[in-house]
Amino acid sequence: MFRTIRDIESKISTNNRKDTTYIHPVASQEKIAKLIAAYSNGNGGDIILGIKDNGMTLSIKRFAFNLNLESILDLLDGEVKIEYNRFTFEDNNLFYISIDKSDELVKVNNIPYKINKDGDVEELKIKKVFISYAHKESDLVNILEGELKKSENIKITRDINVTAYRDSLDEFMKTIRDHDFVVSVVSNAYIKSLNCMYEIMHLMQDKNYQEKLFFIIVNKDDLDYYDEKNRYDGFEAKIYDFRERVNYLTYWRDKKAELDQIIKEAALPPELMVNLAVEMRKLNSVIPPMDDFINLLSDKVGRSFKEMYKDNFKEIVDTINQ
């Protein structure tokens, strides 16, 4: 919402500096463009020209320099919402620009900006977050993505095309290293997905990424967050009961035995075994660390989706923004 001239006059009269920048005597076009971008990327704000601010008091001067607003707007990448006008306050000619929050990230020279806690403009660091999940949990991930995107500095990647890389660990890890954090949405389907487990097991071997991993553990209380047509039995990650944890270990042991038997009975020539060999290599890399992974999940590393959603995923957002 834009401020009116009366709102602007009230700010001046009360020495209000909240979401407000006072300028006198002059400012470059680039500085004003960065201010507009920064307020657009936050909750909006106002630029008032012709007021000198020494940090303690405001001195009413006058707006005297030539302001080419069209040239300033040309410096901005992204659609901005602004209103501006001249006005007279205590017989002095002043000028204000009122900026509303933008629907998209606004940049100057391809760099986004924000207003820091001291009221100064600084570069907005974009944090890239990769969401790892089984497709059956897409409804939960839609909600998670929507909440994380409320932070202007968080860029989400999901369904990243790593299929071609999974046969090359080096290439696969390069795609993940492009991200600052990884959020793993752990469900029953996730733990039983070879591709998901192959992905997360290798990621956890990198100490730098271990510190950047978040686990959301899907449990029975999260059913309401699925679209009714997408609900399925046994969706929750059963990691808190010893027997259930053993069941996951035996599931993967049996998968390997099944694949071994298929390969033995097929007796195919080597040139027809390429894809099966890749699957076997994945299984062989997943099974040894599976027990440690399940224990890690059960050791209160992750919280339920419902718990995190009620808190607007604050734990994840705050860590990302540190």
Side-chain angles (χ1 to χ4, degrees):
M1 182 182 295
F2 299 112
R3 270 62 59 194
T4 64
I5 290 178
R6 182 171 293 181
D7 295 329
I8 298 297
E9 291 175 340
S10 176
K11 281 191 171 187
I12 298 170
S13 299
T14 58
N15 281 2
N16 186 349
R17 294 174 176 80
K18 180 175 173 57
D19 298 324
T20 306
T21 300
Y22 297 95
I23 293 176
H24 181 83
V26 297
S28 68
Q29 291 185 357
E30 186 176 14
K31 178 179 179 180
I32 295 175
K34 288 179 180 180
L35 281 166
I36 293 173
Y39 282 125
S40 296
N41 294 331
N43 295 314
D46 301 300
I47 305 169
I48 305 175
L49 298 98
I51 303 290
K52 184 176 179 60
D53 183 4
N54 65 8
M56 296 293 292
T57 60
L58 302 178
S59 302
I60 303 167
K61 303 292 185 181
R62 64 177 58 190
F63 170 58
F65 72 96
N66 182 32
L67 182 71
N68 190 334
L69 200 54
E70 185 174 332
S71 295
I72 291 171
L73 294 178
D74 284 342
L75 296 174
L76 297 166
D77 302 319
E79 185 176 347
V80 296
K81 303 174 184 178
I82 64 170
E83 287 186 356
Y84 51 90
N85 212 338
R86 294 179 179 270
F87 68 105
T88 301
F89 185 80
E90 295 184 4
D91 295 326
N92 290 287
N93 294 323
L94 304 176
F95 190 90
Y96 81 94
I97 304 171
S98 186
I99 304 112
D100 199 5
K101 178 179 175 64
S102 177
D103 296 327
E104 58 183 285
L105 198 63
V106 179
K107 304 176 182 179
V108 178
N109 296 325
N110 207 35
I111 298 174
Y113 292 91
K114 69 174 183 176
I115 302 292
N116 65 22
K117 62 181 180 180
D118 297 320
D120 298 322
V121 174
E122 66 178 32
E123 186 176 337
L124 179 64
K125 300 293 185 183
I126 304 299
K127 303 294 181 66
K128 293 165 61 174
V129 179
F130 172 43
I131 303 178
S132 175
Y133 68 103
H135 282 195
K136 286 186 175 183
E137 277 58 63
S138 292
D139 290 337
L140 303 187
V141 176
N142 290 340
I143 296 171
L144 170 63
E145 180 181 14
E147 289 296 319
L148 294 184
K149 277 188 172 179
K150 290 179 180 178
S151 295
E152 295 84 2
N153 63 318
I154 296 178
K155 181 179 180 181
I156 303 296
T157 299
R158 53 185 287 192
D159 296 330
I160 189 170
N161 184 17
V162 297
T163 304
Y165 295 138
R166 283 198 172 102
D167 192 35
S168 169
L169 179 57
D170 289 339
E171 291 301 315
F172 170 69
M173 291 308 296
K174 285 178 185 177
T175 65
I176 299 299
R177 288 192 181 98
D178 286 339
H179 296 79
D180 300 293
F181 295 93
V182 176
V183 181
S184 178
V185 181
V186 182
S187 63
N188 185 52
Y190 185 88
I191 299 175
K192 290 184 176 181
S193 164
L194 180 56
N195 282 341
C196 290
M197 288 297 95
Y198 183 78
E199 180 178 285
I200 204 68
M201 293 299 186
H202 280 303
L203 185 58
M204 289 178 61
Q205 290 175 12
D206 190 323
K207 291 183 179 179
N208 292 329
Y209 279 86
Q210 249 183 340
E211 298 172 359
K212 299 176 182 179
L213 273 170
F214 299 99
F215 292 109
I216 298 177
I217 310 301
V218 180
N219 68 28
K220 62 182 180 181
D221 294 330
D222 299 329
L223 181 64
D224 292 340
Y225 299 103
Y226 290 82
D227 190 290
E228 190 169 351
K229 68 178 183 297
N230 296 329
R231 295 174 182 176
Y232 65 98
D233 292 334
F235 65 94
E236 66 270 25
K238 300 175 181 178
I239 59 172
Y240 298 111
D241 179 86
F242 176 75
R243 290 186 180 85
E244 298 292 353
R245 295 203 298 271
V246 170
N247 286 339
Y248 283 126
L249 298 177
T250 57
Y251 171 86
W252 285 109
R253 180 203 63 191
D254 293 345
K255 279 290 181 184
K256 184 177 184 304
E258 179 184 354
L259 187 56
D260 283 336
Q261 187 64 28
I262 291 172
I263 292 173
K264 181 179 179 180
E265 291 177 355
L268 295 171
E271 62 269 20
L272 298 180
M273 293 283 291
V274 175
N275 290 330
L276 283 175
V278 171
E279 292 296 297
M280 181 58 76
R281 190 163 75 87
K282 290 179 183 179
L283 273 170
N284 287 334
S285 66
V286 162
I287 292 174
M290 181 61 68
D291 186 38
D292 290 338
F293 173 68
I294 298 297
N295 285 331
L296 179 66
L297 294 178
S298 65
D299 193 25
K300 208 181 177 184
V301 171
R303 293 167 56 200
S304 75
F305 185 89
K306 182 178 182 179
E307 285 180 299
M308 287 201 165
Y309 183 50
K310 281 186 174 181
D311 201 24
N312 297 317
F313 302 98
K314 186 175 184 299
E315 179 181 326
I316 294 175
V317 173
D318 286 352
T319 302
I320 292 172
N321 288 329
Q322 283 180 356

